[in-house]
């Protein structure tokens, strides 16, 4: 059974076609600059050369059709006909409080996605366009919405409520939702299996560390707490996002610089974090290089990142009254052994010690703590596309 996984951004569309018989990727690709001059489709079939198409993509409907054409292309394709696609799984950013699980798309699901436009203004509209484009291109083929916020729906009120007047929750559902949920659900489940932990009681902290970064605490694969909030701006220091900051900072800078709140949020989302602190880059590799060359700001930025992650791990260990395993995932988490070690240097109180040789692991599942470490620490690759495909397969 073949499942197509679609992830639509505001001007992009990532896809994978996965054969669920053995979970192999038959083809993957990316449509870039949708609705912008210079639109490009990059298609990579398994075992074949990369294939590029430069052609106008005025909207996501055209992009989806180009993906279908690439998949069935006589030379570069991997299937004879789109009828071989059993279902389409879509990453949808925000499902509000309405959905705690993935669901087959119907009119009500589309209404909820639309109702959450103001909570996910960049992603939800594109996600819905992608769903409707697939419906038009493949009538009758089921589409499944896999919500990025679903994982956080198992949090208790004490974890997700903000200490603001309750009327704002009643009126606008302002609360903490959490993001990267598909990744957190996938990795926490893989850790439980990998370490043979109790599937109902295993306590796992997942550190999803990339340009966007978040941490989750889960018991038996169910989210207890997660660091992102109403939006992905809350929590850790990230590539360009500030993470946690005193709200009064916004007013202070606005008053001093003559900026409005929208300009300030743009600064916190796109010009802050590792980029803003280091003055070098949002790419951790560039900042590591600058640190090694003696750049003090770069050194402080990386120290602050590790410190913030370690503080959250400590908080989530307290929230669960213990932890069995800590997993590092995503671009930095999977590949940056130096950063993993720097974070874990704060965790001696948990009886954690890192095996320097094992910690060289990059892009593969590995226990990176010593044999006598009281808490297991792992590098664990995430695979959001496979997670979406599995959810889709289960539902159809």
């Amino acid at each position: 059974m073949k499942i197509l996984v679609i992830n639509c951004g505001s001007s992009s569309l990532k896809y994978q076609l996965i054969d669920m018989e053995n979970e192999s990727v038959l083809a993957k690709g990316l449509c870039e600059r949708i609705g912008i001059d210079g639109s490009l489709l990059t298609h990579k079939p398994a075992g074949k050369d990369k294939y590029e198409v430069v052609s106008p993509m005025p909207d996501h409907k055209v992009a989806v059709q180009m993906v279908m054409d690439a998949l069935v292309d006589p030379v570069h394709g991997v299937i004879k006909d789109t009828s071989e696609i059993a279902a389409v799984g879509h990453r949808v950013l925000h499902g509000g409080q309405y959905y705690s699980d993935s669901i087959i798309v119907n009119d009500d699901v589309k209404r909820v996605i639309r109702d959450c436009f103001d909570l996910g203004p960049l992603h939800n509209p594109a996600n819905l366009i992608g769903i409707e484009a697939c419906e038009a291109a493949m009538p009758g083929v089921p589409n499944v919405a896999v919500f990025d916020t679903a994982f956080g729906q198992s949090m208790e009120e004490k974890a997700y409520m903000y200490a603001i007047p309750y009327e704002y929750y009643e009126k606008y559902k302002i609360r903490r939702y959490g993001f990267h949920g598909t990744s957190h659900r996938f990795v926490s489940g893989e850790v439980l299996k990998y370490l043979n932990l109790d599937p109902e009681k295993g306590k796992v902290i997942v550190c999803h560390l990339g340009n966007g970064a978040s941490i989750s605490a889960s018991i038996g694969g169910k989210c207890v707490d997660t660091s992102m909030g109403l939006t992905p701006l809350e929590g850790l220091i990230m590539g360009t996002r500030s993470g946690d900051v005193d709200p009064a900072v916004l007013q202070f800078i606005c008053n001093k610089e003559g900026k409005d709140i929208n300009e300030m949020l743009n600064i916190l989302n796109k010009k802050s974090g590792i980029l803003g602190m280091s003055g070098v880059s949002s790419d951790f590799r560039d900042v590591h290089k600058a640190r090694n060359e003696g750049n003090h700001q770069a050194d402080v930025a990386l120290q602050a990142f590790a410190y913030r992650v370690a503080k959250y791990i400590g908080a989530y260990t307290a929230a669960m009254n213990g932890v069995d395993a800590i997993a590092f995932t995503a671009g930095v988490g999977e590949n940056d052994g130096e950063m993993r070690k720097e974070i874990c240097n704060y965790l001696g109180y948990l009886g954690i010690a890192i095996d320097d040789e094992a910690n060289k692991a990059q892009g593969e599942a590995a226990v990176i703590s010593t044999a006598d470490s009281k808490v297991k620490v792992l590098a664990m690759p995430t695979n959001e596309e496979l997670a979406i495909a599995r959810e889709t397969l289960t539902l159809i």
Side-chain angles (χ1 to χ4, degrees):
M1 182 178 289
K2 299 176 181 68
I3 289 176
L4 179 63
V5 176
I6 296 281
N7 182 354
C8 283
S10 56
S11 62
S12 66
L13 185 159
K14 291 193 293 185
Y15 65 93
Q16 286 191 11
L17 183 65
I18 301 175
D19 185 345
M20 298 308 292
E21 294 295 325
N22 54 13
E23 296 189 338
S24 62
V25 177
L26 301 176
K28 62 182 178 180
L30 171 67
C31 297
E32 301 175 83
R33 300 180 65 84
I34 299 171
I36 306 171
D37 289 343
S39 301
L40 171 68
L41 165 67
T42 303
H43 177 73
K44 181 63 178 75
K48 299 180 183 179
D49 291 337
K50 183 173 68 175
Y51 169 57
E52 292 187 348
V53 180
V54 178
S55 179
M57 297 181 211
D59 53 38
H60 287 75
K61 186 175 180 179
V62 173
V64 167
Q65 189 57 56
M66 288 179 64
V67 170
M68 301 303 168
D69 292 344
L71 291 172
V72 301
D73 184 88
V75 177
H76 306 284
V78 292
I79 54 176
K80 291 182 179 179
D81 189 86
T82 56
S83 62
E84 294 182 42
I85 298 173
V88 185
H90 298 263
R91 175 183 180 258
V92 180
L93 180 78
H94 221 301
Q97 295 192 123
Y98 301 100
Y99 293 115
S100 57
D101 291 296
S102 304
I103 188 168
I104 294 176
V105 173
N106 55 29
D107 287 343
D108 190 61
V109 173
K110 288 193 283 187
R111 177 190 60 78
V112 167
I113 295 171
R114 195 174 288 107
D115 287 348
C116 292
F117 276 9
D118 57 345
L119 292 173
L122 293 180
H123 294 84
N124 269 43
N127 299 153
L128 183 58
I129 290 168
I131 289 171
E132 293 180 334
C134 287
E135 288 176 333
M138 294 181 288
V141 174
N143 288 268
V144 171
V146 180
F147 294 98
D148 210 35
T149 51
F151 183 66
Q153 287 302 299
S154 57
M155 287 191 288
E156 296 182 14
E157 286 181 287
K158 64 184 180 184
Y160 71 68
M161 290 297 294
Y162 286 116
I164 58 177
Y166 192 72
E167 65 182 282
Y168 298 124
Y169 173 69
E170 292 181 304
K171 285 180 180 179
Y172 310 118
K173 299 299 181 238
I174 294 176
R175 50 158 284 181
R176 301 180 64 251
Y177 288 97
F179 298 87
H180 295 144
T182 306
S183 175
H184 284 292
R185 189 192 299 273
F186 178 82
V187 173
S188 59
E190 291 297 297
V191 169
L192 291 173
K193 290 186 288 185
Y194 192 84
L195 296 178
N196 198 28
L197 297 176
D198 187 325
E200 301 296 325
K201 298 179 182 178
K203 298 176 180 179
V204 177
I205 292 174
V206 173
C207 304
H208 178 110
L209 308 181
N211 195 270
S214 61
I215 295 188
S216 69
S218 62
I219 299 177
K222 292 186 177 181
C223 181
V224 172
D225 207 340
T226 190
S227 58
M228 286 178 167
L230 174 72
T231 75
L233 185 56
E234 185 180 353
L236 301 179
I237 296 167
M238 305 177 218
T240 64
R241 296 185 188 121
S242 65
D244 295 338
V245 65
D246 180 349
V249 169
L250 280 68
Q251 182 191 42
F252 189 90
I253 294 176
C254 284
N255 290 341
K256 291 289 186 181
E257 299 279 331
K259 299 183 183 299
D260 64 26
I261 190 65
N262 294 313
E263 291 176 288
M264 196 62 235
L265 283 175
N266 187 60
I267 290 169
L268 293 184
N269 272 297
K270 298 180 179 179
K271 299 179 181 180
S272 299
I274 292 293
L275 170 64
M277 290 187 75
S278 71
V280 173
S281 172
S282 62
D283 189 309
F284 281 71
R285 292 166 295 189
D286 296 337
V287 183
H288 273 300
K289 182 174 182 292
R291 169 199 258 181
N292 294 337
E293 294 170 350
N295 186 311
H296 176 69
Q297 282 181 239
D299 180 41
V300 172
L302 292 173
Q303 284 191 55
F305 179 83
Y307 181 63
R308 181 77 61 86
V309 174
K311 286 206 297 182
Y312 263 93
I313 290 172
Y316 286 174
T317 300
M320 297 191 293
N321 195 18
V323 61
D324 297 311
I326 298 168
F328 291 95
T329 194
V332 174
E334 292 173 30
N335 298 296
D336 191 340
E338 183 180 344
M339 181 53 69
R340 293 189 300 241
K341 179 71 178 288
E342 195 166 339
I343 292 165
C344 289
N345 284 341
Y346 287 99
L347 307 179
Y349 67 95
L350 292 175
I352 287 174
I354 295 301
D355 181 323
D356 290 335
E357 187 62 31
N359 191 37
K360 294 177 181 178
Q362 290 189 324
E364 60 179 343
V367 174
I368 61 172
S369 51
T370 58
D372 60 352
S373 184
K374 292 182 180 179
V375 175
K376 295 295 182 187
V377 182
L378 305 89
M380 179 64 68
T382 190
N383 191 332
E384 294 179 82
E385 289 80 12
L386 179 56
I388 291 169
R390 286 176 176 174
E391 294 271 322
T392 301
L393 179 63
T394 298
L395 281 168
I396 66 165

